[in-house]
Amino acid sequence: MRRALTALAQGNYTEHGIGVLQAKCIRWIGEAGSISQAALARRIETDPALTGRALGTLVERGWVKRERSDVDRREYVLSLSPSGKRMQDKVERARHELAAKVIAALDDSDVEDFERVARKLIAAFT
């Protein structure tokens, strides 16, 4: 199921020339405003090397700024450029379109079942 949803998401992001991981990077950098590369990798639960490769393309395209930290010179701090912020808006629109497609595929009974299961899971972990 996860692979099918990832493939569906990839289709939404392809028109913008990015992959799912790159879209996650743009979203979380934009949300944080400024975040270390290591913290981003932890946040998106991805291997730091893979995160670094995904960021390389985003930096080359001018969407992400990667600078050495003033606090820890071994660390990189990431932020979005103005064009990166425009890409963040496109990523958010693509996410909302994907969510709308998923919701449109569900009938009222499916939504009720989902809400019931979600409440059960939330109660089990809170």
Side-chain angles (χ1 to χ4, degrees):
M1 177 56 94
R2 182 176 181 179
R3 286 185 185 161
L5 288 175
T6 299
L8 185 60
Q10 182 59 54
N12 273 22
Y13 297 129
T14 297
E15 71 179 77
H16 302 297
I18 61 173
V20 173
L21 180 57
Q22 292 167 325
K24 285 182 182 180
C25 290
I26 288 172
R27 283 185 51 237
W28 289 112
I29 294 168
E31 184 174 296
S34 176
I35 188 171
S36 75
Q37 188 168 327
L40 176 65
R42 285 189 302 274
R43 180 69 183 110
I44 62 175
E45 299 176 343
T46 304
D47 178 73
L50 183 58
T51 302
R53 285 193 297 276
L55 287 167
T57 301
L58 301 177
V59 170
E60 286 174 13
R61 292 180 180 176
W63 296 334
V64 172
K65 297 185 283 186
R66 179 170 35 192
E67 300 169 336
R68 289 279 180 192
S69 169
D70 291 335
V71 176
D72 183 349
R73 300 301 294 167
R74 297 170 296 173
E75 189 172 69
Y76 285 105
V77 177
L78 308 166
S79 60
L80 294 181
S81 67
S83 61
K85 290 177 184 175
R86 288 190 295 277
M87 179 53 71
Q88 180 188 15
D89 291 339
K90 292 176 185 178
V91 165
E92 288 301 327
R93 280 195 300 279
R95 270 187 88 226
H96 290 293
E97 289 170 9
L98 176 60
K101 287 178 188 177
V102 170
I103 290 169
L106 303 175
D107 61 27
D108 290 342
S109 175
D110 295 330
V111 172
E112 289 172 10
D113 288 343
F114 175 77
E115 289 176 349
R116 180 185 51 77
V117 171
R119 280 192 300 274
K120 189 180 238 183
L121 288 171
I122 290 169
F125 295 100
T126 55

